[in-house]
Amino acid sequence: MPDSNISSVGFRRRPLAQPRLLRSQALIGGAWVDARSGRQFDVVDPATREVIARLPDMGREDTQQAIAAAERAGSDWRARTAKERGILLRRWFDLVVAHQDDLAAIMTAEQGKPLAEAKGEVLFAASFIDWYAEEGKRTYGDVIPTYSNDRRIVVLKQPIGVVAAITPWNFPSGMVTRKCAPALAAGCTVVLKPAEDTPLSALALAELAQQAGLPPGVLNVVTTGPDLVAEVGDELCQNPAVKKISFTGSTAVGKHLMRQAAATMKKVGLELGGSAPFIVFDDADLDVAVAAAVNSKFRASGQTCTCSNRFFVQASVYEIFARKFVQAVKQLCVAPGNEPGSTIGPLINRQALEKVDAHVEDAQRLGARLLAGGRRHALGGTFYEPTVLADVTTDMLVCREETFGPVAPLVRFDTEAEAIRMANDTRYGLAGYFFTRDLARAWRVAEELDCGSVAINEGSFSSETVPVGGFKESGIGREGGHHGIEGYLEIKQVCIGGLR
Ligand code: ADP
């Protein structure tokens, strides 16, 4: 029977192989449910502005129910062995991989990113499930040499308890599994609140988790729109049954959640905004730097927190780098994400578009030179032309704030010290990129940059095997790699006495 809350408009081109993946309800305690109030909110395709789904607009009581379901499921889940949990996670991984085309189509419909990029993200998302299915078995403790002959001391690692995961719209699947997979593998249960712009990918992943055999209540998904998100967030942060808040999103919301979580002293894992520097030294291979610049700036239309935000180019190679970069940028294809050849989709919403407009106007008013783009795209809606600005100075908004759009501002520098000073002159510290063929400089600059991820002669660094997170106001904690499961574990020392 067709579901009246799901529209087929987003999937005209290619119907889904498994229509069941498109859910129109939230998941609580293993049951697909509406909001108690009956309220709904719209999910919109950013490429067409058409409504593709109406989902439960949940509030405080629904959230309490989800937390209670997670708490109830917790005692059985944590009592299972890591191997048993790993087997279920591995089944989930297999299903995600098997349904990658459907999951990518859903993501493109709600997020806008080109289909090929969406498929890449689905596999990236799957990789976290695979990795943590194994890593859960390796949450080793310690045996500590005793400080007294009648005692022995061991250190255990135990699941922290109910986790609230709040995820953003720019990676609608990747951020879900980067949080849920380690949490579940560690023995925690989860209440997931996906972003209001992109909840369908999260629900599809949850449907596959159900199909994999995850017990009811182990993974719950609360959907909510812009009106009730603060209420839901408040409940997640203040409810004493929740032991950890794991959030990826803006620094402003991250600070707000951390303040709220302080009341019950919840652990927090925060991956927040960034303003990644991209430094091109005069000894760099410029073709490598140009290809990496395009990748690191324009993936997801520039809407990721690890995207390069500020380009610093050494004066002697500035003009040639700019010329080559503009040539490459002109090859990008702005089109709806489900059209063949699309490499740049729409921005997520009007606010995002207005921010990009404001940044580009400010830069031009303060003397920046437009080398490419610089305006809304002829396709209308929230499409924006890939833009390159030259003669940018660090007082402009494009350097002071996160643009979160397809805009590359090029700043000139003379010395290595000057580049490092400008690169670090930000409250953020998530990622940094630089290009050099000098080995000593590579080490020096890598050590000097104040950020959690540094890529040398590369435009990306994402993998399930590595820790990602921020220095300074870019966050707390790390996700990915063997470090990524630590945030879901409590450490307990056990002292055994009376051993005479
Ligand atoms: P952006 O500005 O890029 O949209 P946000 O930080 O607003 O990033 O959003 C990231 C996530 O945080 C989304 O899931 C969003 O719904 C959620 N969010 C926004 N405000 C709150 C809040 N007050 N409490 C809890 N979650 C929130």
Side-chain angles (χ1 to χ4, degrees), residues 166-169 193-196 229-230 233 247-250 253 256-257 404:
I166 302 177
T167 52
W169 48 263
K193 192 216 76 64
E196 54 271 30
V229 65
F247 170 77
T248 297
S250 61
V253 172
H256 172 70
L257 298 178
F404 239 58

mmCIF file of all heavy atoms in Angstrom, residues 166-169 193-196 229-230 233 247-250 253 256-257 404, ligand 1:
data_model
loop_
_atom_site.group_PDB
_atom_site.id
_atom_site.type_symbol
_atom_site.label_atom_id
_atom_site.label_comp_id
_atom_site.label_asym_id
_atom_site.label_seq_id
_atom_site.Cartn_x
_atom_site.Cartn_y
_atom_site.Cartn_z
ATOM 1 N N ILE A 166 23.430 13.079 18.094
ATOM 2 C CA ILE A 166 22.767 14.143 17.314
ATOM 3 C C ILE A 166 23.647 14.415 16.094
ATOM 4 O O ILE A 166 24.836 14.733 16.236
ATOM 5 C CB ILE A 166 22.599 15.426 18.168
ATOM 6 C CG1 ILE A 166 21.784 15.099 19.431
ATOM 7 C CG2 ILE A 166 21.929 16.528 17.357
ATOM 8 C CD1 ILE A 166 21.616 16.276 20.390
ATOM 9 N N THR A 167 23.055 14.240 14.920
ATOM 10 C CA THR A 167 23.883 14.235 13.707
ATOM 11 C C THR A 167 23.469 15.349 12.739
ATOM 12 O O THR A 167 22.338 15.812 12.756
ATOM 13 C CB THR A 167 23.783 12.869 12.999
ATOM 14 O OG1 THR A 167 22.402 12.540 12.814
ATOM 15 C CG2 THR A 167 24.456 11.787 13.804
ATOM 16 N N PRO A 168 24.411 15.767 11.878
ATOM 17 C CA PRO A 168 24.172 16.880 10.961
ATOM 18 C C PRO A 168 23.674 16.416 9.590
ATOM 19 O O PRO A 168 23.631 15.217 9.311
ATOM 20 C CB PRO A 168 25.567 17.483 10.829
ATOM 21 C CG PRO A 168 26.461 16.284 10.891
ATOM 22 C CD PRO A 168 25.809 15.288 11.802
ATOM 23 N N TRP A 169 23.356 17.407 8.737
ATOM 24 C CA TRP A 169 22.780 17.102 7.422
ATOM 25 C C TRP A 169 23.831 16.944 6.332
ATOM 26 O O TRP A 169 23.509 16.503 5.242
ATOM 27 C CB TRP A 169 21.776 18.199 7.021
ATOM 28 C CG TRP A 169 22.335 19.576 7.209
ATOM 29 C CD1 TRP A 169 22.152 20.402 8.275
ATOM 30 C CD2 TRP A 169 23.238 20.267 6.333
ATOM 31 N NE1 TRP A 169 22.876 21.567 8.129
ATOM 32 C CE2 TRP A 169 23.550 21.509 6.936
ATOM 33 C CE3 TRP A 169 23.820 19.965 5.095
ATOM 34 C CZ2 TRP A 169 24.410 22.442 6.349
ATOM 35 C CZ3 TRP A 169 24.673 20.888 4.507
ATOM 36 C CH2 TRP A 169 24.956 22.106 5.137
ATOM 37 N N LYS A 193 19.132 11.302 17.045
ATOM 38 C CA LYS A 193 18.297 12.369 16.502
ATOM 39 C C LYS A 193 18.984 12.923 15.263
ATOM 40 O O LYS A 193 19.942 13.677 15.346
ATOM 41 C CB LYS A 193 18.069 13.495 17.507
ATOM 42 C CG LYS A 193 16.971 14.418 17.029
ATOM 43 C CD LYS A 193 17.196 15.862 17.361
ATOM 44 C CE LYS A 193 18.193 16.574 16.528
ATOM 45 N NZ LYS A 193 17.881 16.721 15.096
ATOM 46 N N PRO A 194 18.532 12.511 14.081
ATOM 47 C CA PRO A 194 19.170 13.022 12.870
ATOM 48 C C PRO A 194 18.740 14.461 12.576
ATOM 49 O O PRO A 194 17.735 14.935 13.118
ATOM 50 C CB PRO A 194 18.653 12.073 11.782
ATOM 51 C CG PRO A 194 17.356 11.545 12.309
ATOM 52 C CD PRO A 194 17.443 11.574 13.810
ATOM 53 N N ALA A 195 19.484 15.116 11.709
ATOM 54 C CA ALA A 195 19.157 16.500 11.341
ATOM 55 C C ALA A 195 17.793 16.555 10.664
ATOM 56 O O ALA A 195 17.409 15.627 9.944
ATOM 57 C CB ALA A 195 20.229 17.045 10.408
ATOM 58 N N GLU A 196 17.075 17.643 10.870
ATOM 59 C CA GLU A 196 15.725 17.762 10.311
ATOM 60 C C GLU A 196 15.728 17.799 8.790
ATOM 61 O O GLU A 196 14.750 17.421 8.159
ATOM 62 C CB GLU A 196 15.006 19.001 10.880
ATOM 63 C CG GLU A 196 15.743 20.328 10.742
ATOM 64 C CD GLU A 196 16.668 20.620 11.925
ATOM 65 O OE1 GLU A 196 17.191 19.663 12.530
ATOM 66 O OE2 GLU A 196 16.878 21.818 12.221
ATOM 67 N N VAL A 229 13.083 20.992 17.900
ATOM 68 C CA VAL A 229 14.428 20.419 18.084
ATOM 69 C C VAL A 229 15.049 20.848 19.422
ATOM 70 O O VAL A 229 15.714 20.044 20.099
ATOM 71 C CB VAL A 229 15.352 20.736 16.881
ATOM 72 C CG1 VAL A 229 15.633 22.221 16.750
ATOM 73 C CG2 VAL A 229 16.645 19.965 16.984
ATOM 74 N N ALA A 230 14.791 22.076 19.836
ATOM 75 C CA ALA A 230 15.403 22.547 21.091
ATOM 76 C C ALA A 230 14.831 21.765 22.280
ATOM 77 O O ALA A 230 15.558 21.418 23.217
ATOM 78 C CB ALA A 230 15.173 24.045 21.264
ATOM 79 N N GLY A 233 16.368 18.312 22.176
ATOM 80 C CA GLY A 233 17.767 18.429 22.604
ATOM 81 C C GLY A 233 17.862 18.604 24.107
ATOM 82 O O GLY A 233 18.720 18.006 24.775
ATOM 83 N N PHE A 247 27.738 14.608 19.521
ATOM 84 C CA PHE A 247 27.146 15.602 18.622
ATOM 85 C C PHE A 247 28.129 15.980 17.533
ATOM 86 O O PHE A 247 29.326 16.183 17.796
ATOM 87 C CB PHE A 247 26.778 16.846 19.452
ATOM 88 C CG PHE A 247 26.388 18.041 18.615
ATOM 89 C CD1 PHE A 247 25.133 18.122 18.029
ATOM 90 C CD2 PHE A 247 27.275 19.100 18.419
ATOM 91 C CE1 PHE A 247 24.757 19.233 17.264
ATOM 92 C CE2 PHE A 247 26.914 20.213 17.667
ATOM 93 C CZ PHE A 247 25.651 20.276 17.091
ATOM 94 N N THR A 248 27.649 16.101 16.320
ATOM 95 C CA THR A 248 28.414 16.736 15.247
ATOM 96 C C THR A 248 27.540 17.831 14.667
ATOM 97 O O THR A 248 26.382 17.583 14.299
ATOM 98 C CB THR A 248 28.799 15.730 14.146
ATOM 99 O OG1 THR A 248 29.655 14.739 14.715
ATOM 100 C CG2 THR A 248 29.550 16.405 13.008
ATOM 101 N N GLY A 249 28.073 19.041 14.607
ATOM 102 C CA GLY A 249 27.304 20.167 14.077
ATOM 103 C C GLY A 249 28.030 21.460 14.370
ATOM 104 O O GLY A 249 29.260 21.473 14.512
ATOM 105 N N SER A 250 27.261 22.527 14.477
ATOM 106 C CA SER A 250 27.884 23.847 14.616
ATOM 107 C C SER A 250 28.457 24.037 16.026
ATOM 108 O O SER A 250 27.985 23.438 16.998
ATOM 109 C CB SER A 250 26.844 24.931 14.330
ATOM 110 O OG SER A 250 25.787 24.822 15.257
ATOM 111 N N VAL A 253 25.741 25.385 18.571
ATOM 112 C CA VAL A 253 24.850 24.370 19.146
ATOM 113 C C VAL A 253 25.653 23.447 20.070
ATOM 114 O O VAL A 253 25.190 23.070 21.151
ATOM 115 C CB VAL A 253 24.105 23.575 18.051
ATOM 116 C CG1 VAL A 253 23.335 22.405 18.651
ATOM 117 C CG2 VAL A 253 23.138 24.495 17.297
ATOM 118 N N HIS A 256 25.970 25.014 23.388
ATOM 119 C CA HIS A 256 24.664 25.004 24.069
ATOM 120 C C HIS A 256 24.415 23.617 24.688
ATOM 121 O O HIS A 256 24.017 23.499 25.847
ATOM 122 C CB HIS A 256 23.596 25.370 23.039
ATOM 123 C CG HIS A 256 22.193 25.220 23.514
ATOM 124 N ND1 HIS A 256 21.654 26.053 24.465
ATOM 125 C CD2 HIS A 256 21.221 24.327 23.188
ATOM 126 C CE1 HIS A 256 20.407 25.677 24.700
ATOM 127 N NE2 HIS A 256 20.116 24.630 23.950
ATOM 128 N N LEU A 257 24.678 22.566 23.914
ATOM 129 C CA LEU A 257 24.447 21.208 24.413
ATOM 130 C C LEU A 257 25.376 20.903 25.593
ATOM 131 O O LEU A 257 24.972 20.281 26.581
ATOM 132 C CB LEU A 257 24.668 20.180 23.296
ATOM 133 C CG LEU A 257 23.738 20.287 22.073
ATOM 134 C CD1 LEU A 257 24.101 19.236 21.038
ATOM 135 C CD2 LEU A 257 22.276 20.146 22.471
ATOM 136 N N PHE A 404 30.960 27.532 4.459
ATOM 137 C CA PHE A 404 30.096 26.364 4.223
ATOM 138 C C PHE A 404 29.406 26.444 2.867
ATOM 139 O O PHE A 404 28.195 26.221 2.730
ATOM 140 C CB PHE A 404 29.055 26.225 5.344
ATOM 141 C CG PHE A 404 29.159 24.901 6.059
ATOM 142 C CD1 PHE A 404 30.336 24.520 6.670
ATOM 143 C CD2 PHE A 404 28.083 24.017 6.115
ATOM 144 C CE1 PHE A 404 30.458 23.301 7.324
ATOM 145 C CE2 PHE A 404 28.185 22.788 6.756
ATOM 146 C CZ PHE A 404 29.382 22.441 7.362
HETATM 147 P P1 ADP B 1 23.940 23.634 11.006
HETATM 148 O O1 ADP B 1 24.019 25.058 11.493
HETATM 149 O O2 ADP B 1 25.056 23.240 10.143
HETATM 150 O O3 ADP B 1 22.596 23.213 10.512
HETATM 151 P P2 ADP B 1 23.409 22.638 13.608
HETATM 152 O O4 ADP B 1 24.438 22.629 14.664
HETATM 153 O O5 ADP B 1 22.295 23.615 13.716
HETATM 154 O O6 ADP B 1 24.216 22.757 12.274
HETATM 155 O O7 ADP B 1 22.749 21.199 13.439
HETATM 156 C C1 ADP B 1 23.381 19.996 13.723
HETATM 157 C C2 ADP B 1 22.427 19.096 14.464
HETATM 158 O O8 ADP B 1 22.082 19.733 15.674
HETATM 159 C C3 ADP B 1 21.105 18.824 13.744
HETATM 160 O O9 ADP B 1 20.698 17.496 14.025
HETATM 161 C C4 ADP B 1 20.170 19.803 14.397
HETATM 162 O O10 ADP B 1 18.830 19.383 14.335
HETATM 163 C C5 ADP B 1 20.679 19.738 15.813
HETATM 164 N N1 ADP B 1 20.294 20.858 16.664
HETATM 165 C C6 ADP B 1 20.153 22.160 16.369
HETATM 166 N N2 ADP B 1 19.779 22.865 17.461
HETATM 167 C C7 ADP B 1 19.659 21.979 18.493
HETATM 168 C C8 ADP B 1 19.303 22.056 19.870
HETATM 169 N N3 ADP B 1 18.980 23.204 20.457
HETATM 170 N N4 ADP B 1 19.300 20.909 20.597
HETATM 171 C C9 ADP B 1 19.623 19.733 20.044
HETATM 172 N N5 ADP B 1 19.978 19.589 18.756
HETATM 173 C C10 ADP B 1 19.995 20.689 17.977
#
